[in-house]
Amino acid sequence: MVNHDAVFPLLEEDWNLENSDYRGRSVTPVDPTDWVGPISPRQNDTLLDMDTLKLIASDSVQQGTTDRTLMLCVLECLQRIAGMQKTMNGIETKLSEKFQSIIEKMCELENKIKEGRKLDVFKMAKEDFSHHKCVVESHLKELPEKSSPAMEALNVTLRDEKLSVSLVFLFIQKFQTEKTVNSFLRLMFSCLIADSTSNSMQWKMCPRGKDGRPGLAGLYHLLAVFGVSVSHFAKKKGCEVVKVARLQQLVRDARKVNSRVYRANNPNEDLNNDDDGIVPDTTLNAIQDSDGVLTQEHIDQLNAAVNKFSL
């Protein structure tokens, strides 16, 4: 039979030092079953009532039911914590859904504002016409340009975004009554480029055979003004979507028409720039594609500036 009696030293000062003298001291037997026995409050102890969260005297609690009561209180607290956590998770989910809904509505509102700005370009052009006219006239005093070097200088001047934006609004307001994109673009072209200049220039930047005239294809800032203006015009008329290839064709056609008009009005001049019979050079397709990409980039940048314009 196992003996449950255990003998422990009385813990006093220096009991475990080498010089301590505990061999002759008395010992007290300890019952190990007391280690796991019920925990009962001692007299004059203070307990916490888990229901009311108030301190109470231990004398007011029945001795036999203390452990069970504490256990029930702990279980109840755990249940309440679990319920609170579940409630908080539900609140967090609802808040996340509401925040997501708010963000989506803000994005929709921003898109509507952008669309509204695009639709109000003609209204903006009308309301701010005097401003845009003043800006253009202060920068471009002699139009149309009468030489190819002047055209190159005009393209450099149009790097000024403020000037390019005002020129777009000016064209939209002045020529909005036109019925086709062809006539709209030709009016813009004639406003900036004289017929004599059209005759002294070609479309492509590279010489073609004996034709060494400077080209229009690399004047990206000028083409961007044409592109943004005609795109808004076509969108309002609902006739077509003007892409870069279509814009390039419109500009080429406008130059050829004005060049023919100039030659018809000046039959006695020695005109060696008649390009009506020139066969297109198909080896320059790669260069033309590159010009289209760069032109599109300039159009996108200018169009963004036009949509954001405000006085």
Side-chain angles (χ1 to χ4, degrees):
M1 182 174 180
V2 179
N3 185 9
H4 293 292
D5 294 334
V7 179
F8 293 87
L10 297 177
L11 300 180
E12 297 183 1
E13 291 184 359
D14 300 331
W15 71 274
N16 60 340
L17 298 179
E18 294 181 357
N19 298 329
S20 60
D21 185 14
Y22 284 99
R23 294 183 179 180
R25 302 283 182 93
S26 61
V27 295
T28 302
V30 178
D31 187 359
T33 59
D34 291 340
W35 301 350
V36 294
I39 301 175
S40 300
R42 294 174 297 180
Q43 189 175 6
N44 298 327
D45 274 355
T46 301
L47 301 178
L48 177 65
D49 189 334
M50 302 302 292
D51 291 325
T52 62
L53 299 179
K54 294 182 179 180
L55 297 176
I56 58 176
S58 62
D59 297 339
S60 62
V61 181
Q62 294 184 2
Q63 195 74 11
T65 61
T66 302
D67 294 342
R68 185 171 179 275
T69 302
L70 289 175
M71 184 177 295
L72 292 175
C73 289
V74 170
L75 290 175
E76 186 177 355
C77 287
L78 292 175
Q79 290 176 352
R80 290 181 180 179
I81 292 173
M84 291 175 63
Q85 185 176 4
K86 185 176 180 181
T87 303
M88 291 299 295
N89 290 337
I91 294 174
E92 183 179 358
T93 301
K94 290 181 179 179
L95 287 176
S96 298
E97 292 175 353
K98 288 183 178 180
F99 279 126
Q100 183 66 27
S101 177
I102 291 173
I103 292 174
E104 290 176 356
K105 289 181 178 179
M106 289 179 66
C107 292
E108 290 178 1
L109 179 61
E110 184 178 359
N111 291 332
K112 287 181 180 179
I113 291 174
K114 289 181 179 179
E115 291 297 325
R117 283 176 176 170
K118 292 178 182 178
L119 294 175
D120 289 341
V121 166
F122 283 79
K123 182 179 179 181
M124 294 164 61
K126 182 178 180 180
E127 292 177 350
D128 304 325
F129 179 75
S130 59
H131 165 77
H132 297 305
K133 183 179 179 182
C134 181
V135 171
V136 172
E137 290 178 350
S138 64
H139 287 77
L140 307 176
K141 301 185 182 300
E142 296 184 4
L143 292 176
E145 301 294 354
K146 298 177 176 59
S147 66
S148 54
M151 284 301 304
E152 295 174 359
L154 173 62
N155 184 67
V156 173
T157 304
L158 290 175
R159 291 179 182 175
D160 185 345
E161 189 176 87
K162 180 180 178 181
L163 173 60
S164 293
V165 168
S166 291
L167 193 56
V168 168
F169 281 114
L170 186 69
F171 285 152
I172 288 175
Q173 178 60 23
K174 287 184 66 175
F175 306 135
Q176 62 177 307
T177 57
E178 293 300 308
K179 295 182 179 180
T180 65
V181 293
N182 299 68
S183 60
F184 180 83
L185 192 134
R186 187 183 172 193
L187 284 176
M188 290 192 297
F189 193 95
S190 299
C191 181
L192 296 179
I193 307 171
D195 292 347
S196 58
T197 307
S198 296
N199 190 65
S200 65
M201 299 186 73
Q202 63 171 332
W203 166 250
K204 295 183 178 181
M205 300 297 293
C206 300
R208 296 181 300 168
K210 296 180 180 180
D211 191 352
R213 290 174 295 168
L216 290 169
L219 305 183
Y220 302 118
H221 297 285
L222 174 65
L223 294 176
V225 171
F226 288 157
V228 174
S229 303
V230 77
S231 294
H232 284 287
F233 174 83
K235 188 178 295 184
K236 183 181 180 182
K237 296 294 183 180
C239 48
E240 63 176 295
V241 177
V242 180
K243 297 184 178 181
V244 173
R246 172 64 169 148
L247 172 66
Q248 292 173 334
Q249 186 62 50
L250 289 169
V251 175
R252 286 198 296 267
D253 292 344
R255 189 205 66 79
K256 286 184 178 181
V257 169
N258 289 6
S259 178
R260 291 169 187 167
V261 170
Y262 178 77
R263 292 196 301 272
N265 293 332
N266 297 273
N268 297 325
E269 290 190 18
D270 184 14
L271 304 176
N272 297 320
N273 294 331
D274 187 355
D275 56 352
D276 291 341
I278 293 180
V279 178
D281 188 354
T282 57
T283 62
L284 298 177
N285 289 336
I287 297 176
Q288 186 172 349
D289 292 340
S290 176
D291 289 338
V293 172
L294 293 174
T295 301
Q296 185 63 58
E297 291 178 359
H298 284 76
I299 289 174
D300 292 340
Q301 293 175 3
L302 181 57
N303 193 49
V306 168
N307 289 329
K308 294 178 181 178
F309 172 81
S310 62
L311 286 178

